[in-house]
Amino acid sequence: MKKGLLTAAIISISCSSTLFAASCDDTTLHSYMEHIKDEMRSMSSDVKSGDNESAAKRANTLITYFEKARTETPYKFTAENLQGNELKDQKAEYTKVVDGTIVVLKDLEVALQSGDSSKVKELLGAMGNQRKTGHSSFKANC
């Protein structure tokens, strides 16, 4: 009987772990972040090849994705069951990081359009810092 209960418990935990992992990847925010990752890679390739016009268009597309992502709630907040002031504070911090990223992208778009390669390099570094901040603070481990 104890073996049956243990087996049932293991199966139950396994199923709930699978459902937990799937729900993280099925969020709208995750979808936006996948698009952002693809656009960032493409923009980086454009910059390396000297196609600043295409890179600037990608920066504009990234701005659009971040503006959409701004309205979403990171899955981590749900997974950690944040509520009340803690949830409010974390959402405010998330919005602040996203807004900061949008500012960097707008500046990057201008630098790309003007051909200011040193500014482009500086802003790509700033984008990397924004990414690290966002992921370390808001990305769920699922």
Side-chain angles (χ1 to χ4, degrees):
M1 177 132 174
K2 289 183 182 179
K3 287 182 183 179
L5 289 174
L6 179 60
T7 302
I10 291 171
I11 291 171
S12 175
I13 290 169
S14 297
C15 290
S16 66
S17 296
T18 302
L19 291 174
F20 178 77
S23 61
C24 177
D25 291 342
D26 292 337
T27 65
T28 303
L29 181 57
H30 179 77
S31 174
Y32 291 149
M33 291 300 154
E34 287 295 313
H35 290 295
I36 287 168
K37 178 176 70 174
D38 293 342
E39 285 295 319
M40 285 296 297
R41 285 183 179 159
S42 296
M43 184 176 68
S44 178
S45 293
D46 290 343
V47 169
K48 286 178 185 174
S49 70
D51 190 352
N52 285 1
E53 184 179 329
S54 181
K57 288 178 184 175
R58 292 190 190 280
N60 188 271
T61 299
L62 285 162
I63 291 166
T64 301
Y65 279 122
F66 275 103
E67 287 171 342
K68 290 178 180 181
R70 186 182 191 278
T71 64
E72 298 297 322
T73 299
Y75 183 79
K76 182 177 183 179
F77 298 175
T78 304
E80 293 179 358
N81 197 27
L82 299 183
Q83 297 176 352
N85 286 336
E86 186 177 17
L87 177 60
K88 181 181 173 186
D89 292 345
Q90 285 297 306
K91 281 186 174 182
E93 189 61 28
Y94 169 75
T95 302
K96 180 180 171 184
V97 170
V98 172
D99 288 346
T101 303
I102 291 169
V103 168
V104 171
L105 281 166
K106 287 180 179 181
D107 291 345
L108 178 59
E109 184 179 20
V110 170
L112 286 163
Q113 290 169 342
S114 69
D116 186 346
S117 58
S118 63
K119 189 70 172 174
V120 168
K121 185 177 178 179
E122 174 189 324
L123 292 166
L124 287 174
M127 281 298 301
N129 291 336
Q130 288 295 112
R131 178 185 171 273
K132 287 177 190 173
T133 299
H135 284 178
S136 66
S137 300
F138 309 113
K139 186 175 180 184
N141 294 324
C142 33

